[in-house]
Amino acid sequence: MTDNSSIYLNIADLSFNITKYSKLVVKAIGTKYCSHIANGKIVDADLDEYQQYKRKCPSFSHDALVSLALHSSVARQLPSEDCFIFHSAAISYRERGVLFAAPSGTGKTTHISLWKKNLGNDVSIINGDKPIIRINQWEGSGGCAMAYGSPWAGKEGWQTNAKVVVDSIVFIDRGDRNTIEQVSPDRVLERAMRQTYFPPSGVAKVQTLELLGKLLSSVRLFILSCDMTDGAFKASYEGLFGPLLEG
């Protein structure tokens, strides 16, 4: 690996400068996020953890290991830039962003598939697994959160290099009935922390917790209990946006 040219990974209005092994990054990540031109504030990134992941995950492909190492480097830098990774599926519906959060295997992928099935092109998937959340400058009790696409999108690969203002977060539970309830931040803080990536640095952990608190205070919060039928879509849509107009 002797490639010493520079590539920028442009995500979340930041440009991560990759000065070593940039061709490997382009191959692993694709060209959607990579450019020789910086489109935001420049932040350094590296592949220093590649060998660690190779030992931990010997069955992973070379490209997957490069992607994991880059993810770790980017995630460590994010909190100092008012950003963090929130494990969820982020969609945009008529320019309003919704994050669907749940433990792996609960059904968030199936649920956003129902949104696409029922609403078609009115819904775009920003990221299916690991969107980056940016907390905009905070003045008093004001501010807003943005959800950005990232190259780390789960096995479906649902992602786009786009952004949307977050309107709501929906925490999904599996259930026999389809019900949705708007709740206060204290009801979902523990759930939200489980969905948040906390970097190893103590300072970054504190920064991330503060950013998470601002996210939860700036959006509407819901708990959705649902099955995997169209009734689940109807319940979540109407809880978020009001009666669904048929046809």
Side-chain angles (χ1 to χ4, degrees), residues 90-102:
I91 68 167
S92 175
Y93 172 66
R94 296 183 176 175
E95 300 184 357
R96 299 173 74 176
V98 182
L99 307 179
F100 292 99

Side-chain angles (χ1 to χ4, degrees), residues 29-126:
I29 299 299
T31 58
K32 185 181 295 186
Y33 298 89
C34 298
S35 173
H36 288 287
I37 300 171
N39 292 332
K41 179 182 176 182
I42 297 175
V43 183
D44 288 332
D46 57 56
L47 299 181
D48 290 352
E49 294 189 43
Y50 175 89
Q51 293 298 333
Q52 295 178 39
Y53 280 113
K54 187 175 182 179
R55 289 191 294 271
K56 292 178 183 176
C57 312
S59 64
F60 281 30
S61 69
H62 179 64
D63 286 351
L65 294 170
V66 169
S67 179
L68 280 171
L70 187 61
H71 173 272
S72 290
S73 180
V74 168
R76 288 196 306 270
Q77 308 293 331
L78 287 175
S80 63
E81 304 298 333
D82 296 325
C83 301
F84 65 101
I85 293 172
F86 189 70
H87 179 218
S88 59
I91 68 167
S92 175
Y93 172 66
R94 296 183 176 175
E95 300 184 357
R96 299 173 74 176
V98 182
L99 307 179
F100 292 99
S104 297
T106 302
K108 68 179 185 296
T109 298
T110 302
H111 192 73
I112 62 171
S113 296
L114 292 173
W115 277 69
K116 285 292 291 181
K117 171 188 170 183
N118 283 277
L119 296 175
N121 291 333
D122 281 345
V123 171
S124 60
I125 301 174
I126 301 296

Side-chain angles (χ1 to χ4, degrees), residues 12 14 75 77-85 132-135 148 207-208 211:
L14 299 168
Q77 308 293 331
L78 287 175
S80 63
E81 304 298 333
D82 296 325
C83 301
F84 65 101
I85 293 172
I132 293 173
I133 308 302
R134 172 185 287 279
I135 303 300
Y148 292 80
Q207 291 171 329
T208 302
L211 294 169

Side-chain angles (χ1 to χ4, degrees), residues 1-244:
M1 296 189 291
T2 59
D3 174 20
N4 292 315
S5 60
S6 183
I7 284 287
Y8 295 100
L9 181 69
N10 291 307
I11 48 176
D13 291 331
L14 299 168
S15 293
F16 291 89
N17 184 22
I18 305 159
T19 56
K20 295 190 298 182
Y21 316 136
S22 57
K23 289 181 180 178
L24 299 178
V25 170
V26 174
K27 182 174 181 294
I29 299 299
T31 58
K32 185 181 295 186
Y33 298 89
C34 298
S35 173
H36 288 287
I37 300 171
N39 292 332
K41 179 182 176 182
I42 297 175
V43 183
D44 288 332
D46 57 56
L47 299 181
D48 290 352
E49 294 189 43
Y50 175 89
Q51 293 298 333
Q52 295 178 39
Y53 280 113
K54 187 175 182 179
R55 289 191 294 271
K56 292 178 183 176
C57 312
S59 64
F60 281 30
S61 69
H62 179 64
D63 286 351
L65 294 170
V66 169
S67 179
L68 280 171
L70 187 61
H71 173 272
S72 290
S73 180
V74 168
R76 288 196 306 270
Q77 308 293 331
L78 287 175
S80 63
E81 304 298 333
D82 296 325
C83 301
F84 65 101
I85 293 172
F86 189 70
H87 179 218
S88 59
I91 68 167
S92 175
Y93 172 66
R94 296 183 176 175
E95 300 184 357
R96 299 173 74 176
V98 182
L99 307 179
F100 292 99
S104 297
T106 302
K108 68 179 185 296
T109 298
T110 302
H111 192 73
I112 62 171
S113 296
L114 292 173
W115 277 69
K116 285 292 291 181
K117 171 188 170 183
N118 283 277
L119 296 175
N121 291 333
D122 281 345
V123 171
S124 60
I125 301 174
I126 301 296
N127 187 276
D129 193 55
K130 292 183 176 68
I132 293 173
I133 308 302
R134 172 185 287 279
I135 303 300
N136 285 349
Q137 290 296 323
W138 213 262
E139 297 293 339
S141 60
C144 72
M146 304 289 299
Y148 292 80
S150 81
W152 305 285
K155 62 182 182 295
E156 293 82 13
W158 291 342
Q159 44 84 12
T160 184
N161 197 359
K163 62 184 177 181
V164 66
V165 176
V166 181
D167 173 89
S168 308
I169 305 176
V170 179
F171 293 89
I172 300 177
D173 291 332
R174 291 293 290 269
D176 297 327
R177 297 173 57 245
N178 296 309
T179 61
I180 189 168
E181 174 189 11
Q182 187 167 357
V183 297
S184 60
D186 61 289
R187 283 277 305 278
V188 293
L189 177 58
E190 185 176 347
R191 292 175 184 242
M193 290 181 66
R194 289 198 296 265
Q195 302 303 114
T196 300
Y197 176 84
F198 287 92
S201 160
V203 171
K205 286 179 180 176
V206 172
Q207 291 171 329
T208 302
L209 188 59
E210 291 175 350
L211 294 169
L212 177 61
K214 290 179 178 180
L215 170 65
L216 297 180
S217 68
S218 67
V219 303
R220 299 185 299 159
L221 304 167
F222 297 85
I223 295 176
L224 170 69
S225 178
C226 66
D227 56 24
M228 297 294 114
T229 67
D230 283 337
F233 157 73
K234 187 173 187 292
S236 63
Y237 179 94
E238 293 188 343
L240 289 165
F241 300 117
L244 181 66

